[in-house]
């Protein structure tokens, strides 16, 4: 194991003594050392729950026979940084995060990583490091925020920007603006909609470096903690089998991610982040790649900001697996994932276990009091009834 470099032999006795100073036991140092890289902070709504997620990951690692070691990472809240000089620091933080994860991994010779990000630049920054260093790695994000309420409807952060415009136009009062301000973001989690954070967390599923559910289970749901425990177990399985990031993050998996990006009308910022991750692998993806692959791609998802529904309804309707099930004729199903199985095997297992029927039942329950019945196709269109058949973004030149 890589960690033998800091735990084994007489020459490494000084290193071991420092582990003992941390309270580790000889038994713990016999096991794989797993870095749990948490971007927990009290300045990012999407990260304020990551301490709980990281604790659950550590529990999963321990259950599977590993020794988890918590490592911090920074993270910028783009919403708070927006509109002033702070936004100049957001994209640059991606490289800081990538370099710091690499630094902590290599300096302490860890055997694997569970990456616990949630928001915009943090997700790609951490994944870039895992691919660069080619280590066993699993992404386990913090999950999306629930929708808020304003004016009798479910709203998300995009409504807040609209409210500012309405206020400046004299269309709403001070009291109405304050009502929206206080109620549009009601919980922890990444902003409710297919913005950059949720898009990248969904694309981690599509790439195969995150477990099913990573992109859509709401931040406040206990299933998010269960997912984190399973992520801790999954990293141990990867370490034992010798599955590393580059076994998963391949040219085919990037092509899958771009097709899913088209199907969910993901954030245009993915055109910055997927190429940056691919570059660490030695694969060149650019804006023309997105343009080419989106043409003829089926756009299915009716989630804000380009659709009608808040992010949690994507989860109720079946999440990323259901989208991939619909577009699987356009995907590479033979790619490896962090489950230790191929994408095709994962989708077959979900179908066999009745996952989609379960999701239909949840959606029916959550929308039972609505004025009209809501079906899965109101949220995730079928392949043959796509919202569009020419993708969801295009690259303009000139």
């Amino acid at each position: 194991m890589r960690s033998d470099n800091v735990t084994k032999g007489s020459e490494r006795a000084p290193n071991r003594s420092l582990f003992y100073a941390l309270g580790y036991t000889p038994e713990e140092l016999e096991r794989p050392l797993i870095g749990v890289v948490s971007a927990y902070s009290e300045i990012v709504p999407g990260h304020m729950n990551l301490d709980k997620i990281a604790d659950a990951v550590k529990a999963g690692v321990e259950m599977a026979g590993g020794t988890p070691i918590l490592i911090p990472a920074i993270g910028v809240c783009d919403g708070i940084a927006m509109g002033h000089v702070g936004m100049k620091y957001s994209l640059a933080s991606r490289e800081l995060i990538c370099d710091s994860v690499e630094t902590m991994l290599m300096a302490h010779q860890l055997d694997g990583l569970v990456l616990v990000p949630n928001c915009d630049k943090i997700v790609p920054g951490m994944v870039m490091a895992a691919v660069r260093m080619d280590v066993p790695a699993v992404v386990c994000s913090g999950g999306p925020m629930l929708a808020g309420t304003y004016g009798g409807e479910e709203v998300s952060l995009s409504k807040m920007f609209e409210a500012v415009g309405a206020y400046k136009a004299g269309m709403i009062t001070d009291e109405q603006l304050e009502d929206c301000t206080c109620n549009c973001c009601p919980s922890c989690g990444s902003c409710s909609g297919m913005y950059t954070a949720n898009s990248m967390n969904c694309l981690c599923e599509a790439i195969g470096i995150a477990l099913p559910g990573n992109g859509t289970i709401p931040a406040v749901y206990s299933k998010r903690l269960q997912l984190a425990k399973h992520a801790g177990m999954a990293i141990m399985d990867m370490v034992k089998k010798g599955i590393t990031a580059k076994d998963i993050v391949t040219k085919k998996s990037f092509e899958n991610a771009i097709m899913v990006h088209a199907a969910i009308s993901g954030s245009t910022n993915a055109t910055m982040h997927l190429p940056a991750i691919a570059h660490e692998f030695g694969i060149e993806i650019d804006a023309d790649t997105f343009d080419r692959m989106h043409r003829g791609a089926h756009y299915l998802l009716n989630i804000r900001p380009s659709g009608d529904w808040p992010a949690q309804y994507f989860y109720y309707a079946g999440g990323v697996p259901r989208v991939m099930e619909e577009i699987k004729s356009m995907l590479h199903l033979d790619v490896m994932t962090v489950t230790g199985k191929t994408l095709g095997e994962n989708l077959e297992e979900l179908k066999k276990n009745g996952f989609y029927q379960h999701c239909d039942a949840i959606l029916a329950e959550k929308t039972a009091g609505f004025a009209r019945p809501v079906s899965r196709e109101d949220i995730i269109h079928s392949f043959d009834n796509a919202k569009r058949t020419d993708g969801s973004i295009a690259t303009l030149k000139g």
Side-chain angles (χ1 to χ4, degrees):
M1 295 189 295
R2 185 197 303 266
S3 60
D4 289 351
N5 291 326
V6 292
T7 61
K8 295 291 193 299
S10 59
E11 292 186 359
R12 295 294 178 260
N15 309 63
R16 286 198 303 279
S17 72
L18 294 171
F19 277 102
Y20 295 151
L22 288 162
Y24 291 103
T25 66
E27 292 82 1
E28 287 175 299
L29 299 188
E30 286 295 322
R31 302 169 182 170
L33 303 185
I34 306 299
V36 180
V37 186
S38 170
Y40 166 73
S41 75
E42 296 180 343
I43 193 62
V44 187
H47 290 191
M48 63 183 284
N49 66 324
L50 295 189
D51 55 339
K52 309 296 189 299
I53 303 296
D55 284 345
V57 169
K58 290 170 66 179
V61 170
E62 288 171 342
M63 283 190 283
T67 298
I69 300 175
L70 186 67
I71 294 171
I74 65 167
V76 170
C77 177
D78 276 26
I80 295 175
M82 197 176 295
H84 56 90
V85 68
M87 200 59 188
K88 293 183 178 180
Y89 289 81
S90 178
L91 184 55
S93 73
R94 187 186 69 185
E95 271 57 42
L96 283 175
I97 292 161
C98 176
D99 292 346
S100 66
V101 173
E102 174 190 347
T103 297
M104 295 300 283
L105 169 79
M106 295 303 294
H108 304 101
Q109 294 292 283
L110 304 171
D111 296 306
L113 297 172
V114 180
L115 307 169
V116 187
N118 207 24
C119 292
D120 293 17
K121 312 306 183 293
I122 301 88
V123 180
M126 288 189 181
V127 176
M128 286 162 63
V131 175
R132 179 187 295 175
M133 305 315 298
D134 192 25
V135 294
V138 179
V139 173
C140 182
S141 71
M145 184 184 291
L146 294 177
T149 55
Y150 169 70
E153 65 172 322
E154 292 183 299
V155 299
S156 56
L157 185 65
S158 57
K159 189 67 176 181
M160 192 68 250
F161 292 102
E162 294 171 12
V164 171
Y167 176 76
K168 287 183 175 293
M171 297 169 63
I172 63 173
T173 64
D174 288 327
E175 291 75 16
Q176 288 172 307
L177 180 64
E178 186 64 10
D179 180 18
C180 189
T181 304
C182 291
N183 295 299
C184 75
C185 295
S187 75
C188 62
S190 45
C191 297
S192 179
M194 206 44 58
Y195 309 111
T196 305
N198 290 329
S199 294
M200 291 307 300
N201 287 324
C202 288
L203 295 183
C204 284
E205 282 191 57
I207 289 172
I209 202 167
L211 294 171
N214 180 73
T216 58
I217 298 173
V220 297
Y221 279 24
S222 295
K223 281 192 177 293
R224 178 60 59 176
L225 297 177
Q226 294 170 0
L227 180 79
K229 291 176 183 177
H230 284 123
M233 298 177 203
I235 191 63
M236 288 304 299
D237 189 52
M238 292 177 69
V239 169
K240 290 170 185 173
K241 292 178 178 177
I243 299 172
T244 66
K246 286 188 178 180
D247 293 320
I248 292 168
V249 185
T250 64
K251 183 176 181 181
K252 284 184 176 181
S253 64
F254 281 115
E255 290 175 351
N256 284 349
I258 293 173
M259 296 309 296
V260 170
H261 179 263
I264 65 175
S265 187
S267 167
T268 54
N269 281 342
T271 62
M272 292 191 298
H273 297 318
L274 284 182
I277 298 169
H279 180 73
E280 299 292 347
F281 189 72
I283 295 173
E284 294 305 314
I285 293 174
D286 56 20
D288 288 340
T289 310
F290 281 84
D291 187 88
R292 172 176 53 81
M293 293 191 66
H294 271 246
R295 296 181 187 277
H298 286 223
Y299 163 30
L300 310 180
L301 189 63
N302 190 23
I303 294 291
R304 294 171 187 165
S306 58
D308 299 324
W309 298 87
Q312 69 229 44
Y313 289 89
F314 187 14
Y315 169 64
Y316 301 152
V320 176
R322 194 153 212 169
V323 167
M324 292 195 290
E325 180 67 32
E326 287 292 335
I327 66 168
K328 66 181 180 181
S329 62
M330 308 181 83
L331 299 177
H332 303 288
L333 299 178
D334 60 342
V335 294
M336 178 58 65
T337 72
V338 293
T339 66
K341 300 175 183 177
T342 65
L343 174 60
E345 289 170 334
N346 288 344
L347 293 178
E348 282 303 311
E349 188 171 305
L350 289 172
K351 188 189 296 185
K352 183 175 68 176
N353 293 341
F355 173 75
Y356 302 116
Q357 291 90 331
H358 176 66
C359 291
D360 290 340
I362 291 176
L363 182 62
E365 176 188 336
K366 296 294 184 180
T367 60
F370 287 21
R372 65 174 183 83
V374 177
S375 73
R376 185 268 295 180
E377 282 215 33
D378 288 310
I379 317 297
I380 303 172
H381 287 227
S382 67
F383 185 83
D384 294 329
N385 186 36
K387 293 185 72 174
R388 298 177 66 97
T389 55
D390 54 359
S392 54
I393 63 169
T395 302
L396 304 180
K397 297 182 178 181

